[in-house]
Amino acid sequence: MELGEGCLEQLSGRHAPETVDAALKAAFARARSQYGWQPGPDMGSGTLVLEKNNWTATVALPGTPAQGLQAPVGVSLVCVGADSAGAPSATGTPGRPAVGPS
């Protein structure tokens, strides 16, 4: 497995601790039902994984933060199978169809 340049994205933010797990699970369910993402490999009950084309999205459910703090959330997007120039393969990016020669 080889990662090409530009094939790793890290998204982060904070969310209300009372609803963070439910919000992440709902977002991943929407990605499956509305955008064609498929369940990824099972990495345990505390991790959500989705795959689409040559992209994998992974998030660890944050658990319970200290009282009064918002829960940190981090999502990793990784593409595999990039060509030798470091560009994603012809399968395109997760949110857009592939663009290639016609």
Side-chain angles (χ1 to χ4, degrees), residues 5-71:
E5 183 179 327
C7 284
L8 174 63
E9 294 289 332
Q10 299 284 332
L11 308 172
S12 62
R14 298 198 172 272
H15 196 280
E18 308 81 37
T19 58
V20 66
D21 286 2
L24 286 168
K25 289 175 183 176
F28 272 56
R30 252 188 333 276
R32 287 190 307 272
S33 66
Q34 295 178 10
Y35 300 101
W37 285 79
Q38 300 298 312
D42 184 0
M43 298 181 74
S45 62
T47 304
L48 302 174
V49 182
L50 292 177
E51 295 179 332
K52 184 173 182 182
N53 300 326
N54 63 332
W55 289 87
T56 300
T58 307
V59 64
L61 298 175
T64 307
Q67 188 170 357
L69 298 178
Q70 288 191 314

